[in-house]
């Protein structure tokens, strides 16, 4: 049997992710944000003051990747670091006022990119598509194969 990428869930999801990433980057660029910064901001908009470890674990990223992203975000004026009150080895990551002000426009930009993702689907199919993606993601995160 020959591999057919047009019938491979993995290949199709990979294509979707690549195309969506490019569209999301295009939508966020006028705000001066990268996709990586946006995902970190999304976490901090929900729970400002997280540690680097909490952010890395929550986003499923390596510590080094998170450290580099946070360094760029600090350089760009999006976050500040302050010593953790209960753990002298940790620092909490806090949003700047500018980053808090970006929440609505960045969310609109991301929603614009998401809208293109399933624009060809009728509403009911879009909901089914999102439900299926959520279940597949949860399954993969749990490590279940069947």
């Amino acid at each position: 049997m020959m591999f057919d990428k047009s019938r491979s869930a993995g290949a199709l999801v990979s294509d979707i992710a690549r195309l969506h990433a490019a569209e999301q980057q295009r939508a966020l660029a006028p705000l001066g944000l990268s996709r990586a910064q946006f995902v970190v901001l999304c976490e901090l908009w929900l729970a400002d003051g997280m540690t680097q470890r909490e952010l890395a674990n929550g986003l499923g990223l390596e510590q080094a990747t998170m450290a580099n992203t946070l360094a760029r975000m600090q350089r760009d004026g999006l976050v500040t670091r302050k010593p953790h009150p209960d753990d002298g080895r940790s620092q909490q990551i806090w949003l700047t006022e500018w980053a808090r002000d970006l929440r609505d426009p960045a969310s609109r930009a991301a929603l614009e990119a998401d809208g293109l993702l399933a624009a060809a689907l009728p509403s009911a199919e879009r909901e089914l598509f999102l439900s299926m993606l959520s279940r597949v993601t949860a399954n993969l995160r749990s490590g279940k194969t069947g």
Side-chain angles (χ1 to χ4, degrees), residues 80-101:
T80 60
R81 299 173 193 246
K82 295 181 183 171
H84 193 286
D86 301 324
D87 182 354
R89 298 168 297 158
S90 293
Q91 292 185 328
Q92 291 177 295
I93 312 301
W94 295 94
L95 294 167
T96 63
E97 185 176 339
W98 180 52
R100 285 190 293 277
D101 289 345

Side-chain angles (χ1 to χ4, degrees), residues 128-141:
L128 178 60
F129 176 65
L130 292 172
S131 171
M132 293 168 73
L133 287 175
S134 293
R135 286 183 286 162
V136 168
T137 301
N139 184 63
L140 290 171
R141 282 194 175 129

Side-chain angles (χ1 to χ4, degrees), residues 18-108:
R18 180 180 46 77
L19 294 166
H20 179 264
E23 186 56 37
Q24 193 176 57
Q25 184 58 54
R26 183 206 59 74
L28 292 168
L31 300 172
L33 292 176
S34 71
R35 288 184 65 251
Q37 292 171 329
F38 176 70
V39 230
V40 173
L41 288 174
C42 285
E43 291 294 305
L44 291 171
W45 287 326
L46 293 174
D48 203 6
M50 296 173 76
T51 65
Q52 178 178 312
R53 179 178 307 273
E54 290 169 334
L55 283 165
N57 290 344
L59 294 169
L61 298 173
E62 296 291 327
Q63 284 285 339
T65 302
M66 182 55 63
N68 289 334
T69 301
L70 289 173
R72 284 190 304 275
M73 292 177 76
Q74 187 171 12
R75 176 202 68 202
D76 294 346
L78 293 166
V79 298
T80 60
R81 299 173 193 246
K82 295 181 183 171
H84 193 286
D86 301 324
D87 182 354
R89 298 168 297 158
S90 293
Q91 292 185 328
Q92 291 177 295
I93 312 301
W94 295 94
L95 294 167
T96 63
E97 185 176 339
W98 180 52
R100 285 190 293 277
D101 289 345
L102 283 172
R103 183 178 185 163
D104 288 343
S107 294
R108 280 191 299 274

